[in-house]
Amino acid sequence: MWLLQIVAQASKRARSVEYAIRDVMIKAEELKRTGKNILYLNIGDPVKYDFDTPPHIKHAIQKAIDGGLNYYSPSEGLKELREAIAEKERTVNGARVDPSNVIVTTGISEAILFLMGAIVNPGDEVLMPGPCYPPYLTYAGFFDGKAVTYRTIEDRGWAPDLADLERKITKRTKLIVIINPNNPTGSVYSRAEIIKILELAAKHDIPVAADEIYDRIIYDENFTSVASLAKDVPLIGLNGFSKAYLMTGWRLGYLYLQDHEGRLAEVWDGIQRLSRVRLCASTPVQVAAVEALRGPQDHIREMVAKLKRRRDFSLERIREIPGLTAAKPNGAFYLFPRISAIGGAWESDEQFVTELLNETGVLVVHGSGFDPSFGKDHFRAVFLPDESMLEEAFTAIGDFMKRHT
Ligand SMILES: Cc1ncc(COP(=O)(O)O)c(C=O)c1O
């Protein structure tokens, strides 16, 4: 008799996939099982802290479900939602977008997958900020392309290094990605910086993608949407409901196309094809998203005011700790401090994060997970928790630094 022992190997592609923000959770959960108290500063999810989805949006989803709106929607999304999205992008961000050029996705995460899947051929390069939100790096590589990061300058609030960006443009560059405000640095690009990136894109005939998921979470500077400035450059905008509308777990986002000359028509067709294979985003969530965009917006102002206090508090506490320095984030809800003792007390930012977790229970994300070159020697911490938890975490980080440096 044959005894079959089939051991299937994961594909090379799957084995290459990493996501630092959640990968660090595995170690934390192991430690938690031993009884250790974990202070989670790793995930950018306000709803895990003392922020909640506004009641009118919750009522809207309940009403949708009770009213029987539980079927598949069209793949590109419900008509009413695409209209509301186009209206929001036109009025708030100055985009010139029509509802027919909007595709609703299961979060921006899925939109990044569609975008990279539709634009990257093997060997193609995608230019993106370093450090940046990891799925851009991951998906560019997943489709056998290459993520190339342009430097952002820490001493200038992580502003884009335009000379570095231009140097890295090659014949294989298929797309320039702007993430504004940026995750993990909280950098908000100035109007002049965006104009210069667009000029480079126009000069080298490269389309731009702009992720503006934090467009409503801005503290000191003015926010300018890339769409309002992109006149000659074909643009794909990405945005969603997770942050401004506190709908992280509901999973809803979108892509829109601003491209008057039809230069991205084939790519957009590719995105539409990809959207059809996965049927659609959740229908009741889409109904609630119409209410999110059209209903009261007061919670945004309250959330930003609360976050601004926490940002100021966290920045002050981090800057008091010898061995750590941090630029001031002007948007989103992350701090990205530099650890001066990498190469001394710790070999790498990853080792720092593991030891910090093991000794103190404070969970942050290693900076190299956001880009091995421009993110290394840093860590990312969210300033979403209330002041008492932040105080506890920064005291633990301060004591840890004292013990080791
Ligand atoms: C820049 C950026 N884009 C996209 C996402 C993912 O958004 P979504 O919840 O819509 O998938 C995040 C989440 O942290 C992010 O920081």
Side-chain angles (χ1 to χ4, degrees):
M1 211 170 90
W2 292 100
L3 192 62
L4 285 177
Q5 282 199 316
I6 300 171
V7 181
Q9 267 202 335
S11 68
K12 236 168 81 186
R13 278 206 178 86
R15 276 183 281 150
S16 74
V17 169
E18 283 178 10
Y19 186 59
I21 301 167
R22 281 180 179 243
D23 293 349
V24 292
M25 286 286 272
I26 299 167
K27 287 180 198 155
E29 293 313 303
E30 272 168 23
L31 209 59
K32 197 174 168 189
R33 277 194 290 276
T34 69
K36 186 132 187 140
N37 181 36
I38 310 292
L39 294 171
Y40 294 95
L41 299 187
N42 64 314
I43 288 206
D45 184 352
V47 189
K48 284 249 172 149
Y49 303 90
D50 59 347
F51 299 86
D52 197 11
T53 320
H56 63 283
I57 305 177
K58 288 185 187 171
H59 293 150
I61 195 171
Q62 276 153 7
K63 207 169 135 207
I65 291 170
D66 292 343
L69 303 179
N70 299 306
Y71 40 73
Y72 291 137
S73 80
S75 292
E76 61 274 21
L78 291 176
K79 183 170 169 287
E80 300 76 3
L81 178 58
R82 295 167 80 206
E83 283 168 0
I85 289 168
E87 190 183 311
K88 180 252 163 173
E89 291 300 337
R90 277 199 306 264
T91 53
V92 178
N93 286 337
R96 279 147 298 143
V97 58
D98 188 82
S100 64
N101 285 332
V102 173
I103 295 175
V104 180
T105 57
T106 303
I108 292 196
S109 308
E110 190 183 50
I112 302 169
L113 171 73
F114 289 176
L115 174 65
M116 295 300 177
I119 208 164
V120 173
N121 274 315
D124 285 344
E125 295 172 3
V126 180
L127 262 174
M128 56 191 76
C132 83
Y133 183 55
Y136 287 94
L137 302 158
T138 304
Y139 283 133
F142 190 78
F143 292 106
D144 295 326
K146 193 172 161 207
V148 178
T149 49
Y150 53 88
R151 177 175 176 243
T152 54
I153 307 164
E154 186 167 11
D155 294 345
R156 290 186 30 223
W158 298 101
D161 180 339
L162 299 157
D164 192 56
L165 196 163
E166 183 159 30
R167 246 192 325 272
K168 287 180 174 160
I169 293 175
T170 71
K171 286 198 177 66
R172 307 229 59 165
T173 308
K174 289 294 282 287
L175 182 71
I176 297 174
V177 176
I178 299 173
I179 304 174
N180 186 39
N182 183 273
N183 173 5
T185 62
S187 170
V188 177
Y189 292 3
S190 70
R191 201 183 152 82
E193 282 155 356
I194 296 169
I195 290 174
K196 286 206 181 110
I197 297 177
L198 290 169
E199 281 169 2
L200 288 175
K203 180 173 155 197
H204 296 274
D205 213 9
I206 302 168
V208 167
D211 179 332
E212 297 179 342
I213 193 167
Y214 301 104
D215 60 350
R216 315 294 299 274
I217 306 178
I218 306 287
Y219 306 113
D220 311 308
E221 322 238 315
N222 285 332
F223 167 80
T224 311
S225 170
V226 176
S228 68
L229 301 172
K231 304 239 156 31
D232 315 320
V233 177
L235 173 80
I236 290 179
L238 298 95
N239 212 323
F241 296 85
S242 289
K243 316 288 176 172
Y245 295 99
L246 297 159
M247 289 163 63
T248 43
W250 297 26
R251 313 304 305 121
L252 205 71
Y254 55 89
L255 298 133
Y256 66 86
L257 176 71
Q258 183 175 290
D259 174 30
H260 309 294
E261 291 169 16
R263 285 152 67 196
L264 282 176
E266 277 193 27
V267 172
W268 193 247
D269 179 60
I271 292 173
Q272 282 175 315
R273 285 167 190 272
L274 288 169
S275 80
R276 293 199 285 271
V277 197
R278 64 54 150 132
L279 310 192
C280 64
S282 157
T283 306
V285 174
Q286 292 186 62
V287 176
V290 176
E291 178 60 23
L293 290 174
R294 299 232 152 111
Q297 306 289 307
D298 315 326
H299 73 278
I300 298 179
R301 207 175 341 106
E302 287 158 25
M303 172 173 67
V304 172
K306 192 154 114 179
L307 283 172
K308 191 173 180 192
R309 288 194 295 276
R310 292 179 187 182
R311 189 243 355 217
D312 293 342
F313 176 79
S314 304
L315 195 64
E316 209 182 299
R317 292 292 280 108
I318 277 280
R319 285 177 170 172
E320 282 165 8
I321 300 174
L324 296 179
T325 50
K328 187 180 190 180
N330 283 317
F333 30 64
Y334 309 102
L335 283 174
F336 199 60
R338 169 181 282 278
I339 315 151
S340 58
I342 300 294
W346 301 279
E347 261 171 38
S348 64
D349 51 11
E350 210 165 343
Q351 192 195 1
F352 171 93
V353 165
T354 307
E355 286 188 14
L356 178 70
L357 172 69
N358 289 338
E359 283 186 34
T360 67
V362 175
L363 181 62
V364 295
V365 187
H366 48 285
S368 51
F370 298 86
D371 183 16
S373 44
F374 298 122
K376 71 176 169 44
D377 306 345
H378 294 75
F379 68 89
R380 190 194 78 169
V382 299
F383 53 81
L384 291 164
D386 63 25
E387 274 89 344
S388 70
M389 182 177 158
L390 288 172
E391 175 59 38
E392 194 183 337
F394 292 125
T395 302
I397 295 173
D399 293 345
F400 173 79
M401 292 296 292
K402 254 191 233 146
R403 280 197 299 279
H404 289 273
T405 55

